[in-house]
Amino acid sequence: MSGPSTLHGALMDNVYRYQRHIYDATRHNYLLGRDRLIADLAPPPGGTVLEIGCGTGRNLIALAKRYPNAQFFGIDISAEMLKTANMSIARHGVYDLIKLAQADALRLDPRDLFSRSDFDRIFFSYTLSMIPDWTGALSRAASLLKPGGRLQVVDFGACEDMPIYFRRLLYWWLARFHVEPRLDLGLAMRGLAASPEKVRLETLYRGYAVAGVLTA
Ligand SMILES: C[S@@+](CC[C@H](N)C(=O)[O-])C[C@H]1O[C@@H](n2cnc3c(N)ncnc32)[C@H](O)[C@@H]1O
């Protein structure tokens, strides 16, 4: 990788170099909606699933155990996170079902990485909020869907049904880790869809999280 990717990759490595060791244990309580996405994903038998920004591999491992007939792929810009993901996947005995590669969501070419050009399911779990050009990443992902495939997102929401002080505190704290909730997620997803009804957006946990689904 070169140019801006290298800078962002270095930033992500700095964020996660030590955090990765406690990531799965500490994120359980506040990256809400991930298990809901996993249950909802339901790839077709023999289908292909790509996670963009797979981190420690936590979601891919759960998916491989739940849908052992599908094939799973993960990319992440952080070499540090991928070290943990590779170890964790081996420890859980699902190494044959999951392939990982280091890549930037914005320059993702799955033909180079995995010898595949499209996927039945592609998802971002708490990743778009860490990608500066998040609409570019979303657009790149949408272009890699098979006809009838689905792009799914879960991330921090607008906290619309929460006290304003909670939202201010949460957003201040997230910014310290280079996380910025994407309040225009629905707009961006609808802009990529063939028609508005191809996008479903749901507010979760009083707006703490948001889940979006775009069907190709
Ligand atoms: C908050 S973690 C989420 C990890 C995982 N998806 C989860 O649900 O636990 C965000 C991940 O996105 C990755 N990331 C950030 N920017 C990226 C980019 N431009 N391309 C690929 N991965 C990226 C980070 O390295 C990190 O592993």
Side-chain angles (χ1 to χ4, degrees), residues 134 138 182-192 199 201 210:
W134 64 278
L138 201 59
R182 304 309 183 190
L183 303 183
D184 290 336
L185 179 66
L187 197 66
M189 290 184 89
R190 278 189 285 274
L192 293 169
V199 173
L201 208 72
V210 62

Side-chain angles (χ1 to χ4, degrees), residues 1-7 104 107:
M1 292 191 296
S2 61
S5 295
T6 312
L7 286 178
D104 183 343
R107 301 170 186 208

Side-chain angles (χ1 to χ4, degrees), residues 55-85:
T56 59
R58 178 259 187 206
N59 299 323
L60 289 170
I61 291 166
L63 280 162
K65 289 183 176 174
R66 189 175 180 122
Y67 307 108
N69 293 324
Q71 301 170 66
F72 298 92
F73 303 87
I75 66 121
D76 203 288
I77 201 167
S78 164
E80 292 291 328
M81 276 301 225
L82 288 170
K83 283 184 201 164
T84 294

Side-chain angles (χ1 to χ4, degrees), residues 107-186:
R107 301 170 186 208
L108 172 59
D109 183 353
R111 272 173 305 246
D112 269 5
L113 302 172
F114 305 123
S115 306
R116 304 206 71 88
S117 52
D118 51 19
F119 300 86
D120 294 291
R121 303 283 183 269
I122 300 178
F123 70 101
F124 292 90
S125 164
Y126 287 93
T127 292
L128 286 180
S129 53
M130 292 193 91
I131 301 179
D133 181 5
W134 64 278
T135 53
L138 201 59
S139 164
R140 179 76 192 121
S143 75
L144 299 174
L145 280 179
K146 285 188 183 174
R150 291 204 312 252
L151 174 59
Q152 301 199 195
V153 177
V154 64
D155 217 311
F156 293 104
C159 297
E160 51 269 65
D161 296 324
M162 295 195 162
I164 186 78
Y165 71 84
F166 177 84
R167 185 176 69 188
R168 286 204 183 119
L169 190 66
L170 177 69
Y171 284 16
W172 167 81
W173 184 70
L174 293 175
R176 297 181 62 214
F177 300 97
H178 312 281
V179 176
E180 187 181 338
R182 304 309 183 190
L183 303 183
D184 290 336
L185 179 66

